[in-house]
Amino acid sequence: MRLDEQTRGDFPILSRIVNGHPLVYLDSAASSQKPRSVVEAMARYYETSHANVHRSIHTLGEEATELYEAARDRVQRFVNAVAREEIVFTRGTTDGIGIVAEAIGRTLRPGDEIIVTKLEHHSNLVPWQVAARDRGARIRAIPLIGDGILDLDAFDRMLSSRTRVVAVAHVSNVLGTIVPVGDIVARARRAGALTLVDGAQAVPHMPVDIPSIGCDFYVFSGHKMLGPTGIGVLYGRRAVLEALEPARGGSEMIKEVWIDRATWNDLPWRFEPGTPPIAEAVGLTAAIEYLEKLGMERIRDHTQALAVEAAEQLSAIPGVRVFGPRRERGAVVAFSVDGLHPHDVAAALDADGIAVRAGHHCAQPLMRWCGVVGTSRASFSVFNSPEDVGLLAHAVAGLGRAL
């Protein structure tokens, strides 16, 4: 049985009719839809076990704490982290990068350099800009070549004793470029730099083994991997987390507090101030269980095959330009239609019940490299089918004929 045939009935929202057509949801790179098991797990938590965590000895408090910490253990196993203390819950990828950038930013000195790439999401650019702004640090970007792959020879020339951080996406949210993060991390480590990988577009679609990547930090979001909004994960190598001062203060992240000073809690809680996303952690556990039941290798093969097929079908349409690698790509396909603004393309597709993203996709430097102000983007998940690809291509071809 095909993966989409196995999963489609698990997603209640896919039964919707949009503008008179069955919904074809092709925007999972922005936020994936949720299987029934995730929705039910969160509802069950609120109906039976809700309380605050780590603070109460009553039954509900202990049940909530157990569920919350069980989610941490589940995430640890999912990405094969060495220790549960290396898993910090955040509000999402953006928040996780912000936590790291704020903490490292305090240690930057004039002349230090942070290396990013030209295909980064703004979430992996702006926090570093803010961190560097008042410290006299410099941000440099690895250039792109060909269909949007990184120029690693240029990267080697950029590395120096001044390089403090190398921050890269695992998979581009626009081009679908799969970045050789293990190779980049190894080169950065030889130069003495810390490394952060944005895994927002990788974790939902492929097996991720953090020890084999070797990075110091890895971040991703729950809502892109069939889980709820409002929760993400920051993996931090234990020795590095131990050496960082938390940039955000409040309850939960402390051991003792005086009027003028405090001592920090143990890992991972020193980086989790305030009441955490408890119900969302329960939902994330259910999402991981769902993904693991399907098998991440199978998910990778399914979603990447859909993206390759979409790129091929769209490329064959006169007046349509497809961006990014043709074969080895993640589960996204960005494209443009001659004579039409990306927003007009998305609106016309929505009239046929097809949901795609349009705009600069929070990647304006990459849009400039592509020579466009924006693109339309189709992205795929476990419930999408080859028929969805065909419907997309047919609708896009109709746009060209209408001009």
Side-chain angles (χ1 to χ4, degrees):
M1 180 184 293
R2 283 186 342 208
L3 189 62
D4 59 281
E5 294 172 337
Q6 177 183 344
T7 61
R8 187 170 180 85
D10 296 335
F11 292 80
I13 201 170
L14 298 181
S15 64
R16 275 203 62 179
I17 301 298
V18 175
N19 295 321
H21 300 270
L23 171 64
V24 177
Y25 189 78
L26 301 178
D27 198 18
S28 290
S31 193
S32 65
Q33 297 300 343
K34 320 305 173 191
R36 186 175 289 104
S37 59
V38 169
V39 178
E40 291 176 347
M42 295 178 69
R44 186 165 55 250
Y45 162 77
Y46 276 126
E47 290 172 351
T48 65
S49 300
H50 172 66
N52 216 322
V53 297
H54 303 146
R55 304 176 189 186
S56 302
I57 62 172
H58 57 69
T59 298
L60 294 184
E62 291 183 348
E63 288 179 358
T65 298
E66 182 177 351
L67 288 167
Y68 180 70
E69 292 300 334
R72 196 185 312 276
D73 293 331
R74 196 73 192 220
V75 171
Q76 177 199 349
R77 295 193 299 271
F78 187 60
V79 297
N80 198 27
V82 173
R84 71 186 313 273
E85 291 80 9
E86 297 177 320
I87 302 299
V88 176
F89 285 126
T90 68
R91 296 195 307 272
T93 301
T94 301
D95 188 46
I97 297 172
I99 289 170
V100 176
E102 290 164 16
I104 292 177
R106 294 178 170 185
T107 72
L108 294 175
R109 298 179 179 179
D112 284 347
E113 294 183 348
I114 299 167
I115 295 179
V116 294
T117 82
K118 286 198 172 180
L119 53 69
E120 297 306 314
H121 190 282
H122 295 165
S123 294
N124 206 21
L125 293 175
V126 177
W128 299 113
Q129 294 170 1
V130 173
R133 182 180 56 198
D134 299 326
R135 297 284 180 165
R138 178 187 182 195
I139 296 178
R140 305 180 69 187
I142 305 172
L144 301 174
I145 55 177
D147 289 329
I149 62 173
L150 296 180
D151 186 344
L152 296 185
D153 291 335
F155 175 51
D156 282 337
R157 293 190 295 270
M158 295 166 67
L159 287 168
S160 72
S161 60
R162 298 186 300 273
T163 307
R164 290 290 309 282
V165 179
V166 176
V168 300
H170 197 159
V171 176
S172 168
N173 73 310
V174 177
L175 303 180
T177 305
I178 302 174
V179 175
V181 289
D183 186 12
I184 289 174
V185 166
R187 298 182 193 209
R189 179 162 291 178
R190 288 194 291 269
L194 294 171
T195 53
L196 179 143
V197 178
D198 171 359
Q201 300 297 337
V203 170
H205 300 289
M206 62 179 66
V208 170
D209 182 78
I210 285 177
S212 69
I213 296 171
C215 55
D216 297 295
F217 305 101
Y218 194 101
V219 292
F220 55 97
S221 297
H223 72 97
K224 297 181 189 293
M225 53 185 288
L226 313 185
T229 58
I231 189 168
V233 173
L234 161 62
Y235 158 83
R237 191 158 56 87
R238 185 167 187 167
V240 179
L241 286 180
E242 290 280 11
L244 286 179
E245 285 282 305
R248 301 175 185 177
S251 63
E252 191 70 23
M253 50 77 65
I254 49 81
K255 280 188 174 180
E256 291 188 272
V257 178
W258 294 265
I259 292 297
D260 60 344
R261 67 192 187 279
T263 57
W264 309 139
N265 203 346
D266 297 329
L267 292 177
W269 305 290
R270 73 173 60 174
F271 291 101
E272 294 180 0
T275 297
I278 309 165
E280 290 78 6
V282 173
L284 183 60
T285 296
I288 290 174
E289 290 173 349
Y290 188 89
L291 292 169
E292 289 182 328
K293 183 177 180 180
L294 298 176
M296 293 310 300
E297 293 85 359
R298 188 180 177 206
I299 293 170
R300 175 194 59 206
D301 294 345
H302 177 76
T303 56
Q304 290 184 6
L306 291 176
V308 169
E309 179 63 23
E312 291 178 352
Q313 290 194 30
L314 292 171
S315 296
I317 301 171
V320 174
R321 177 186 175 190
V322 172
F323 300 85
R326 289 295 180 267
R327 302 301 305 177
E328 294 295 325
R329 65 185 305 140
V332 299
V333 179
F335 62 96
S336 62
V337 179
D338 287 349
L340 288 176
H341 191 280
H343 290 169
D344 295 328
V345 171
L349 294 176
D350 183 61
D352 289 334
I354 301 172
V356 300
R357 182 75 180 269
H360 54 64
H361 314 297
C362 300
Q364 287 180 307
L366 177 56
M367 292 295 102
R368 296 187 187 101
W369 181 83
C370 292
V372 295
V373 296
T375 70
S376 301
R377 183 190 69 188
S379 53
F380 304 94
S381 187
V382 297
F383 48 77
N384 290 120
S385 67
E387 289 77 16
D388 292 341
V389 173
L391 289 168
L392 171 68
H394 178 76
V396 172
L399 299 178
R401 290 192 297 268
L403 291 177

